[in-house]
Amino acid sequence: LIDTGLEEQSEVLLNALETKGVDKIEGLFVTHTHKDHIGGVNAVANAYDIDKMYRAEISENKKNGENKIDNLASENFLPLVKLKAGDKVELADGVYFDVLGPLVLNEDDDNDNSLVMKLMINGRTLLFTGDMQFAEEQTLMDAGVDLSADILKVGNHGNKDATSDEFAQAVSPEYSIISTDTTVDTNSASKRVRKALSESTIYVTEEYEGGITFTILENGDINITEF
């Protein structure tokens, strides 16, 4: 599971996990410290056994030096693993995450310290970006990171301060997913981002009651269903 949404939306997340038949979480990846990504951690931890919690080694600390994700892991008695660029997380035989970023600490906005990972499965690639914005995107492109992916989880809910034209071209996804509720975040799923990703098929989560499932078959075919 990558991120947990707002605390007040925990029931939606738990219902989705139940619908998908989840009975245990082997890994909970938390991309950064903002409340719309960590708010549901306690609810998920209360509902499921979680083997490990993951965060980026580079992460914004509070003024007292503590880290919100570290505190959540401690409160819920979860083993915490800190990931850095170049790490690989094995999920199953031939299925793994390559950790791409963050590469440098951004002291201005923890969005740009987001854990960025590429999932490899059955010859397909999925890029998970957290709330990465222009600054972190640029550090990855400058470092020559291979960002190409078949499926893109669009950064920062499709807000216009993320997914630059150059980044969209570097990824060149076949499918793009924007996770948002535009009635709450009116700047999300922006026209500029949609235009940048116009060569891909774009899905926006608010258009579905539960969500969207991308299933990567053994032969590499992609099945898409809503629930």
Side-chain angles (χ1 to χ4, degrees):
L1 177 64
I2 302 176
D3 287 335
T4 61
L6 290 164
E7 181 178 5
E8 55 265 34
Q9 292 296 317
S10 296
E11 186 176 351
V12 175
L13 173 58
L14 295 178
N15 287 341
L17 293 173
E18 182 179 1
T19 297
K20 304 307 292 183
V22 174
D23 56 18
K24 178 183 178 181
I25 295 174
E26 294 182 22
L28 172 57
F29 296 82
V30 182
T31 60
H32 62 296
T33 64
H34 291 169
K35 64 181 181 180
D36 59 329
H37 291 254
I38 66 172
V41 167
N42 289 335
V44 174
N46 287 333
Y48 292 97
D49 289 333
I50 301 173
D51 287 348
K52 291 180 182 178
M53 189 170 174
Y54 298 84
R55 76 160 171 92
E57 186 175 72
I58 296 171
S59 180
E60 179 183 76
N61 291 328
K62 298 192 294 183
K63 290 182 179 180
N64 64 4
E66 295 180 355
N67 185 280
K68 292 179 182 178
I69 300 172
D70 293 359
N71 289 347
L72 283 171
S74 179
E75 290 166 9
N76 290 287
F77 305 101
L78 300 177
L80 181 66
V81 178
K82 298 178 183 179
L83 299 172
K84 62 183 182 302
D87 286 347
K88 178 181 290 188
V89 182
E90 299 281 353
L91 304 181
D93 186 26
V95 182
Y96 58 92
F97 280 121
D98 273 337
V99 180
L100 307 183
L103 298 178
V104 296
L105 176 66
N106 188 301
E107 297 181 353
D108 297 322
D109 192 337
D110 206 40
N111 280 342
D112 283 313
N113 299 318
S114 285
L115 181 63
V116 179
M117 302 183 296
K118 184 184 285 191
L119 176 64
M120 312 292 190
I121 176 171
N122 295 338
R124 293 290 193 169
T125 53
L126 298 84
L127 184 61
F128 295 90
T129 59
D131 272 354
M132 177 169 63
Q133 303 172 138
F134 293 152
E136 188 176 359
E137 291 173 7
Q138 195 62 51
T139 64
L140 296 179
M141 290 187 290
D142 288 347
V145 174
D146 178 10
L147 298 167
S148 61
D150 298 299
I151 301 172
L152 170 66
K153 200 293 293 184
V154 178
N156 199 22
H157 316 283
N159 275 279
K160 59 186 178 180
D161 53 3
T163 317
S164 69
D165 291 351
E166 294 79 10
F167 178 80
Q169 185 176 6
V171 182
S172 294
E174 184 176 353
Y175 303 102
S176 300
I177 303 100
I178 300 174
S179 177
T180 190
D181 178 353
T182 55
T183 64
V184 177
D185 186 355
T186 56
N187 293 317
S188 62
S190 69
K191 290 182 179 179
R192 190 201 63 73
V193 169
R194 287 172 181 263
K195 183 178 180 181
L197 295 168
S198 60
E199 294 187 9
S200 71
T201 301
I202 301 172
Y203 295 86
V204 184
T205 57
E206 69 177 357
E207 298 172 1
Y208 304 90
E209 182 178 352
I212 313 159
T213 299
F214 285 76
T215 303
I216 314 298
L217 302 180
E218 189 173 356
N219 66 0
D221 288 348
I222 301 174
N223 282 354
I224 304 170
T225 55
E226 59 182 89
F227 66 97

